[in-house]
Each structure stands twice: as structure tokens, then as C-alpha cells.
Amino acid sequence: MSTIEINKVKIEGMEKKIQDYDEKIKQGENDLVQNKFSYSESEIKMKAKQIYDLKKDRQRLEKQMQTSTAYNDNLKNNLSKIETKIEELRNAG
């Protein structure tokens, strides 16, 4: 049960980080669009690479969150099965 709660907290933290990535990506894209004429070619490439890296980090974190969510669901199912078996044993006793 404690593992389920720990994973729940981790998943909530990942959701917050994903929101942070979304905000940073949006800010970066807006900055690039607004200032594309004032930036040099190398600055534009650097900004675009930063946005690309943020998107990759976000994807990586989202996959990790999906894996953790699936693991947590599996733990909940196992806990439910264990509780059912315990109740069956109590009733048989």
C-alpha cells in the first residue's frame, strides 16, 4: 500500500513537471515567433534546439509517467486480489 502511495506522489510530480515543460515550450515558441527577425540565424537555431530538447524531455517524462501509472494500477489490482483472498480465508475459518 505504501508503494502505491509513493508512486501516486511521483506521478503527481511528473504531471507537474510535464505542465512546466508545456509552459517552457510555449514560451520558447512564442519568443521565437515574436523575435525571429531580431535574432541572428545562429540564435534562431539555438532557440529551436532548446525547444526541441524540451519536447524530447517532455516525451520521455510522459512515457515514464505512463509506465508508472500502469505499474501503480497493477499494484492496486494485486492488492485487491490479496485482500479478496484474505477475506475468503477469514470466511472459511
Side-chain angles (χ1 to χ4, degrees):
M1 288 171 51
S2 63
T3 305
I4 292 171
E5 290 303 314
I6 290 169
N7 279 347
K8 186 177 176 183
V9 171
K10 286 180 183 178
I11 291 168
E12 290 170 358
M14 287 182 220
E15 288 172 346
K16 185 179 180 330
K17 284 183 182 179
I18 286 174
Q19 289 175 351
D20 291 342
Y21 278 127
D22 287 340
E23 289 175 19
K24 288 178 183 178
I25 290 167
K26 188 174 182 178
Q27 286 173 353
E29 289 172 343
N30 289 340
D31 179 50
L32 197 56
V33 169
Q34 291 174 356
N35 299 312
K36 65 182 171 185
F37 296 113
S38 63
Y39 287 148
S40 68
E41 191 69 30
S42 62
E43 288 175 318
I44 290 173
K45 287 180 182 179
M46 183 184 69
K47 295 279 185 183
K49 184 179 181 331
Q50 288 173 346
I51 293 169
Y52 176 77
D53 290 342
L54 286 171
K55 285 182 178 182
K56 291 301 259 183
D57 290 343
R58 186 196 180 284
Q59 286 177 338
R60 194 175 302 111
L61 187 60
E62 192 168 349
K63 281 185 178 184
Q64 184 180 358
M65 187 179 78
Q66 289 171 351
T67 302
S68 294
T69 301
Y71 177 66
N72 218 31
D73 289 342
N74 190 27
L75 286 173
K76 288 178 186 177
N77 290 338
N78 289 345
L79 180 62
S80 177
K81 288 177 185 177
I82 290 170
E83 288 173 346
T84 301
K85 287 292 184 184
I86 290 171
E87 190 62 33
E88 285 176 11
L89 289 172
R90 283 185 185 149
N91 290 338

